[in-house]
Each structure stands twice: as structure tokens, then as C-alpha cells.
């Protein structure tokens, strides 16, 4: 059976010391019964991956990065490779977050190259896709999502696809306090599943995790995580507060995968 995944994207927040404290606070607030049922992932800034890795060792929490570069090594100042992330204890990488697409001009082609590299290194990519407010209002959002998926998954084999996690994050819901309605979320998760089934087959979609992201917090998590087709959440703001993040993970542990 699919295990839900609750992922915390700390974005460009927390100093080295704060990252250590936040991970300690999460360890003390999360119960074993939650970790028995749900995968709980922390994605700190690059600079704190080492200390978070050390702090969470043996706790059952998982570690991921917020980004990666698509080359192995060399003259790429400021970039971090997939192998470096593996060597620091990461298991997951967020790829194609809308903030990177928009602010750092990350293209679908770059995202595709990153997914290839990450899979080669044995990491699990969390591929973020989502439409802007304008694209939703213009009712072209399904086309946008289909293109993002098709481009990102170019030449990814069926075997590799078994490892890919998708995060549906409508851009208009990220960091805005506006979350999509459960019916909108379920409809989009169903649509994503249909697109992936067309690209691969139903064996892939039956086991594929589709997370929802966009202003998930401890107050709305029960409703969002209960929506049909939601296998977990990618949490930004609320992942910076241990109590809120652990409460979201607890909600996930109490809801059956549908
Ligand atoms: C995110 O960073 O992916 C996100 C969904 O942020 P927030 O929860 O703050 O909207």
C-alpha cells in the first residue's frame, strides 16, 4: 500500500543553528506511531543539510534537498550535484518548484535533465507542477499541467518513473494563504493520474504518490489530506513550526489512502 508523504520545504529560511533546533523540535514532537504510517521529509537549505542529517539520524525522519544541478561536477560555481546530496544523507530532492521556475527561470528542459540525474544517483525526485492564477482563470490549466508533466518526464523509463513523486502546487495557492478547494485538488490529482497513465500505464499510477502543496497548515490539513487522490502534502510556511508540521503529519497518519 502507498505510504503518505508529508514533506517540509523550509525554503530560504533558518540559520544553521535554527535548522538544528527545528529538526530537534520536530523529533521531539512527532510520535513513533505517526512515523510508522507516514514518511516525513525535511528539506532544509543546502547549508544545513549536514547538521540536519546528523540531528535526525536514527529518528525515522527523511532528508531531502530543495534543488540540485544536472551535471556531475566541475565548473558550475554555486551549484550542488545529486551525488553530493547522496553523500550528505539525502534521499529526496524537490525539483521544479514554482519559485525556481519563476524567479530563477528554470525551464521544463532543465527540470527534465535534473530528474534524469537525480534518478541516476538513486534519489527520489519530488516533481512540482502547477498552474498560475491567470492560467486557471483562462481555463488553460489542464494543458499547462499536461505540458509540464510531459516535458519533465521526457525519456524517463517506466522503471525510473516508479520512483517519481509528483507535487501538485497551484502557484496561486503557494504562500498566499489561499488553498485550493478539496474538489479542485481531487479533480487535478485525477487529471495528473490520467496524463501519467497515458504516458506510462495504470501500474505506474496505482503506486504513484501525488502530493498537494499550497498553504497547507494544521487547520486545513485534515480536509485537504482527506480529499480523494491526495497522498500527502508539500508544506512550506507551516513546516517551519514544529508543532504545526507534526500536527499535519499526525492528520496524514489518521487518514486512509484513497
Ligand atoms: C511550497 O513551498 O511548496 C508551499 C506549498 O509553500 P506554502 O505551504 O507556504 O504555501
Amino acid at each position: 500500500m502507498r505510504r503518505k508523504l508529508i514533506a517540509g520545504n523550509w525554503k530560504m529560511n533558518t540559520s544553521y543553528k535554527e535548522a538544528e533546533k527545528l529538526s530537534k523540535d520536530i523529533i521531539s514532537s512527532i510520535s513513533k506511531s505517526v512515523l510508522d504510517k507516514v514518511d516525513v521529509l525535511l528539506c532544509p537549505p543546502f547549508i544545513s543539510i549536514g547538521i540536519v542529517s546528523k540531528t535526525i539520524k536514527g529518528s525515522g525522519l527523511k532528508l531531502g534537498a530543495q534543488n540540485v544541478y544536472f551535471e556531475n561536477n566541475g565548473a558550475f560555481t554555486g551549484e550542488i550535484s545529486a551525488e553530493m546530496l547522496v553523500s550528505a544523507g539525502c534521499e529526496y530532492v524537490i525539483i521544479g518548484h514554482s519559485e525556481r521556475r519563476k524567479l530563477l527561470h528554470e525551464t521544463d528542459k532543465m527540470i527534465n535533465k535534473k530528474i534524469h540525474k537525480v534518478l541516476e544517483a538513486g534519489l527520489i525526485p519530488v516533481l512540482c507542477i502547477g498552474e498560475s492564477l491567470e492560467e486557471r482563470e483562462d481555463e488553460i490549466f489542464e494543458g499547462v499541467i499536461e505540458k509540464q508533466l510531459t516535458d519533465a518526464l521526457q525519456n524517463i523509463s517506466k522503471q525510473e518513473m516508479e520512483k517519481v513523486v509528483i507535487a501538485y502546487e497551484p502557484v496561486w495557492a503557494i504562500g498566499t494563504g489561499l488553498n485550493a478547494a478539496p474538489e479542485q485538488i481531487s479533480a487535478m490529482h485525477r487529471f495528473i493520474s490520467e496524463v501519467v497513465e497515458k504516458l506510462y500505464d495504470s501500474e505506474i499510477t496505482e503506486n504513484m504518490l501525488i502530493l498537494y502543496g499550497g498553504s497547507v497548515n494544521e487547520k486545513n490539513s485534515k480536509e485537504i489530506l482527506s480529499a480523494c487522490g491526495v497522498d500527502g502534502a508539500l508544506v512550506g510556511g507551516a513546516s517551519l513550526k514544529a508543532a504545526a508540521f507534526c500536527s499535519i503529519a499526525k492528520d496524514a497518519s489518521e487518514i486512509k489512502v484513497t
Side-chain angles (χ1 to χ4, degrees):
M1 205 181 72
R2 298 201 299 271
R3 273 168 70 83
K4 285 196 191 276
L5 172 64
I6 300 297
N9 174 14
W10 296 2
K11 309 196 188 190
M12 198 174 76
N13 294 297
T14 66
S15 65
Y16 188 83
K17 277 275 157 218
E18 286 164 349
E20 181 182 22
K21 179 170 182 329
L22 180 54
S23 38
K24 280 185 179 161
D25 288 348
I26 291 171
I27 293 170
S28 41
S29 310
I30 204 139
S31 71
K32 187 179 171 305
S33 63
V34 171
L35 292 173
D36 281 346
K37 296 202 190 91
V38 178
D39 288 326
V40 180
L41 167 65
L42 311 184
C43 300
F46 282 140
I47 197 162
S48 298
I49 282 176
I51 187 65
V52 173
S53 177
K54 201 167 142 201
T55 308
I56 67 173
K57 203 167 183 220
S59 69
L61 292 166
K62 312 252 176 205
L63 182 64
Q66 301 171 20
N67 182 35
V68 66
Y69 196 55
F70 50 74
E71 296 289 351
N72 292 337
N73 58 276
F76 304 101
T77 303
E79 296 297 336
I80 305 277
S81 74
E83 290 295 348
M84 289 175 191
L85 296 179
V86 172
S87 73
C90 288
E91 284 181 74
Y92 292 77
V93 192
I94 298 172
I95 295 184
H97 192 281
S98 63
E99 285 152 16
R100 295 201 59 82
R101 291 179 189 257
K102 185 160 183 254
L103 304 172
L104 295 143
H105 312 291
E106 211 164 278
T107 63
D108 286 322
K109 198 162 178 200
M110 289 160 77
I111 289 164
N112 174 249
K113 286 193 197 175
K114 290 182 178 195
I115 296 180
H116 277 282
K117 259 307 155 214
V118 158
L119 288 165
E120 241 173 70
L123 290 161
I124 300 172
V126 178
L127 166 64
C128 299
I129 52 172
E131 80 283 1
S132 66
L133 184 58
E134 209 178 18
E135 289 159 346
R136 179 154 280 264
E137 285 173 349
D138 290 348
E139 296 187 6
I140 55 165
F141 53 97
E142 289 191 346
V144 168
I145 295 295
E146 182 158 12
K147 183 173 180 335
Q148 286 178 352
L149 274 171
T150 310
D151 290 357
L153 299 174
Q154 280 290 315
N155 299 319
I156 300 294
S157 70
K158 181 177 166 186
Q159 202 188 355
E160 289 173 320
M161 189 59 199
E162 282 168 7
K163 292 194 73 183
V164 176
V165 174
I166 310 267
Y168 169 59
E169 300 207 297
V171 179
W172 47 274
I174 298 180
T176 57
L178 287 175
N179 59 272
E183 311 78 61
Q184 287 175 314
I185 299 173
S186 289
M188 285 314 285
H189 283 215
R190 195 164 48 245
F191 178 72
I192 290 165
S193 217
E194 283 164 13
V195 173
V196 175
E197 189 170 328
K198 256 197 301 182
L199 295 172
Y200 297 89
D201 57 30
S202 60
E203 214 174 51
I204 288 291
T205 50
E206 265 158 36
N207 297 307
M208 181 176 77
L209 291 184
I210 309 179
L211 314 183
Y212 168 77
S215 299
V216 176
N217 59 43
E218 71 282 22
K219 295 194 182 79
N220 60 24
S221 51
K222 208 167 248 166
E223 190 184 25
I224 290 173
L225 292 165
S226 306
C228 186
V230 175
D231 302 311
L234 180 51
V235 185
S239 71
L240 296 169
K241 293 170 265 171
F245 185 61
C246 294
S247 162
I248 296 168
K250 184 167 183 289
D251 284 343
S253 74
E254 289 166 358
I255 295 163
K256 257 186 51 225
V257 175
T258 47

